[in-house]
Amino acid sequence: MSLTIMLVLALTALAASKINAHLLNLARQAAHDEAHDDADAIATALQRELTQVDVITRAIRHAIEQSPDVTQEGFGALVAPLIARTPAILVVGRSRGYVVEQIYPVVGNEKAIGLDYRLVPQQLLGVDKALQFGEASLQGPVDLVQGGQAFIQRMPYYASNDSDMSRIATGIVSIVIDRDRLLTEISQSHGFMLYDIAIRSLGDDQHPINMLYGSQETFANRPVLRHVIADGSTWQIGLVPTAGWPTGSGMKNLVWALSFLAIGFLGAMILALWTMYRSKRAAESQLRSAINSIEDGFALYDSRDRLVFANEKYLSYYELSRDAIVPGNTFEDILREGLRNGQYTDAIGREEEWLEERLAKHANPTAPMEQKLGDGRWLKVAETRSPDGNTVGFRVDITELKQAREKAEAANQAKNNFLNIISHELRTPLTSVIGYARFLENVDVLPGYKALDSKLRDDASGPERLKALKVLRDEVTGMSGRITTSSDHLLALINDVLDRAKLEAETVELEIETLNIKEVVGTVTSSLGIKAAEKGIALTSDIASLPISADPKRLRQALINVVGNAIKFTQTGEVHISSDHDETHLRIHVRDTGCGIPADQLDQIFHQFVQVDTSVTRRNSDAGLGLAITRELIELHGGSVAVESEIGHGSTFSITLPIKSKALEIAA
């Protein structure tokens, strides 16, 4: 029994020891992780405050250089608004040479007025560096003549804007910073009151020089270290929990009192705690992963407009300001980084005005807005305020939507051009038809008729009467021919428009039958041969006899459109039709020696409402529908149309058709 009890106690002690060691490691790791995060935040906050002081100092210096004779009252009016939001600044002073002439605030700092730095050895070195060498510096801790210790930011100023750093400065702008208040406010604002914080300055060799804040013992207790740059010098921050790093799990006194049930209970408790800890980490990881997987950009800003989180998609949209999109930076800081890099197209040339407008919309978000970036992308920006004052922002890439809208507008413009052309082309032949018809209606006004009438009234001989009658007949015949030509032209235009409408309405049905392609091409060359001869160009063909399945009427229409188009745009040379085929497909090639088509417009000539050159189209009396209709008719057969062209060397249109085809209705 005693041996069992001893064994149980030994196992209990061993188990408790292992558990205690494990919990101690977890506690230490957690404490170090938390301390590292807090140290980052403290260093960032301190760097920000020091930078703010530097900016204020430079602003005051610039104002004094612009108005060196500013009065004490004017100096107070200048300084007051600049330091209003920085409570850690105790006093701002201006010296001319080594003597302090003006300060703000005056109350409580009267002893500093008239102070001669040459009588204050502790401060004289920094003053000499500023006056003699034009070097800005941050000194501290310094004993103040009015009592207490502080950091002092010094910056030289010169009598004019055009500072000559080779000469002695006119005076110094000094800002006194309450060391304890500065660091206390940083700790309180971030909830870091459970830490011992110490700060020391480092030399160029990174060895400590002197303590600036806190106790030297902090650096001997394995602190978490961070570095801050302060006017060319390096400050090292040491952070240690006030209660020290964990040294035990707090369960040692319970080890010998626990029984087997206690071991099981503690094991269960530890397991539960560990599970909760892991679940929390897993939940945070899953949440971040889920937000990063969103297709749109997402960002969250806190009630003070500082970035809390932004997913990867959000970062990818704003590459030019990516370096500034880090937690803790304000929305304005991020915008300014983008403005410096030309990220916002609408802001170029009016940056400050644009920034003011954008911040106003961000502060009072309403409807979504569109934003164009420097890389040409468009974003839809949607922002909303949560009840606790946080701002949630979404960014959606609408570049493709904008481009589609622009293409639709271009297509609409192309349609308008088409309507203008078709209107012109319909009116021109109608005018000709009507004009010549009027002549025929009033034949007595024709010169031939008048000549015949004159001969008939005289006693002219028979042959002369016949000759006059022939003249009249020729005139009437010529006008009738012109009417016929114009009417045919008008009919062809109307047929094209009707075919286009039928194709769009999907009401065209093919009547497939077996036909010989050589015979179909022969009818095309016969009907268009006269037109080619009138222009003095040769129309030739070399087509092998081959039976195919197609709609003869629609195939002939497509070939007439292509061959007629080639004749129309060929001034000299020839138009040649050839073919080749394999087991499944027939290819018909129409080659001309015309003017050719620009390479960047080859993919447009088959589009509806689009003409490559509207001036050429009008000169050749065409509405620009023929090739668009041809492509759709060939595609209805299951084929395709392609073109190759070279400016000044003509074009080759290739029609590919399946040799065997099923009866097809219009393709969806």
Side-chain angles (χ1 to χ4, degrees), residues 320-527:
L320 296 180
S321 57
R322 188 184 185 110
D323 292 342
I325 306 177
V326 294
N329 274 359
T330 65
F331 184 70
E332 181 178 352
D333 293 336
I334 296 171
L335 286 181
R336 289 190 179 278
E337 178 69 14
L339 288 173
R340 282 192 291 271
N341 296 321
Q343 182 165 250
Y344 309 106
T345 302
D346 294 341
I348 296 175
R350 53 186 294 271
E351 284 77 4
E352 289 301 322
E353 181 182 354
W354 181 91
L355 179 63
E356 184 178 349
E357 294 172 356
R358 182 66 185 92
L359 289 175
K361 292 179 180 178
H362 179 74
N364 299 285
T366 53
M369 64 179 182
E370 294 181 354
Q371 182 182 75
K372 186 176 183 181
L373 301 182
D375 59 4
R377 286 186 298 175
W378 283 88
L379 299 180
K380 182 179 180 180
V381 177
E383 295 176 333
T384 184
R385 288 271 185 177
S386 64
D388 55 0
N390 294 336
T391 301
V392 179
F394 285 91
R395 302 294 187 271
V396 181
D397 192 335
I398 58 171
T399 305
E400 292 185 0
L401 179 62
K402 293 287 288 187
Q403 291 174 346
R405 187 184 304 169
E406 292 173 356
K407 288 181 180 179
E409 292 173 354
N412 186 60
Q413 182 61 42
K415 182 183 71 175
N416 291 337
N417 291 340
F418 161 77
L419 292 176
N420 290 334
I421 292 172
I422 200 65
S423 174
H424 171 80
E425 295 301 333
L426 287 174
R427 287 183 182 136
T428 299
L430 277 176
T431 301
S432 178
V433 170
I434 292 170
Y436 285 115
R438 292 282 170 80
F439 275 121
L440 294 179
E441 290 175 359
N442 301 277
V443 69
D444 55 337
V445 302
L446 298 177
Y449 179 85
K450 291 179 179 179
L452 176 60
D453 183 69
S454 175
K455 292 297 181 182
L456 291 175
R457 292 178 185 277
D458 296 337
D459 292 330
S461 60
E464 292 176 343
R465 294 179 181 179
L466 292 175
K467 183 178 180 181
L469 183 60
K470 183 178 183 301
V471 171
L472 175 60
R473 184 190 64 189
D474 291 343
E475 288 182 348
V476 173
T477 301
M479 292 180 183
S480 177
R482 292 186 179 91
I483 292 175
T484 301
T485 301
S486 297
S487 299
D488 290 341
H489 181 204
L490 180 57
L491 180 60
L493 288 174
I494 293 173
N495 286 337
D496 280 350
V497 173
L498 292 176
D499 285 340
R500 176 68 254 168
K502 288 180 180 179
L503 288 167
E504 281 195 349
E506 300 184 351
T507 58
V508 173
E509 295 184 0
L510 298 181
E511 298 179 3
I512 303 298
E513 61 182 67
T514 301
L515 50 86
N516 193 309
I517 189 61
K518 184 172 183 178
E519 294 177 358
V520 175
V521 173
T523 62
V524 172
T525 56
S526 296
S527 62

Side-chain angles (χ1 to χ4, degrees), residues 269-326:
M269 288 294 295
I270 292 171
L271 181 61
L273 290 174
W274 176 248
T275 301
M276 291 174 60
Y277 176 79
R278 293 293 299 271
S279 297
K280 178 183 177 182
R281 289 294 183 93
E284 292 177 352
S285 176
Q286 289 174 358
L287 180 60
R288 287 181 176 271
S289 177
I291 294 176
N292 275 322
S293 66
I294 296 175
E295 288 297 325
D296 302 322
F298 172 86
L300 175 64
Y301 291 85
D302 63 17
S303 58
R304 297 176 64 182
D305 216 19
R306 297 174 303 186
L307 181 66
V308 177
F309 176 76
N311 67 357
E312 187 60 33
K313 182 64 71 172
Y314 188 95
L315 296 174
S316 70
Y317 288 156
Y318 297 106
E319 285 291 344
L320 296 180
S321 57
R322 188 184 185 110
D323 292 342
I325 306 177
V326 294

Side-chain angles (χ1 to χ4, degrees), residues 221-233:
N221 194 18
R222 295 175 298 158
V224 173
L225 301 177
R226 292 294 182 272
H227 294 86
V228 172
I229 303 302
D231 265 341
S233 63

Side-chain angles (χ1 to χ4, degrees), residues 561-576:
N561 284 342
V562 175
V563 177
N565 190 74
I567 294 173
K568 191 177 302 177
F569 291 94
T570 301
Q571 304 303 319
T572 61
E574 66 172 354
V575 174
H576 181 68

Side-chain angles (χ1 to χ4, degrees), residues 193-207:
M193 300 303 295
L194 299 178
Y195 292 97
D196 290 332
I197 300 174
I199 303 175
R200 61 188 178 185
S201 61
L202 303 179
D204 294 338
D205 57 357
Q206 298 301 301
H207 283 83

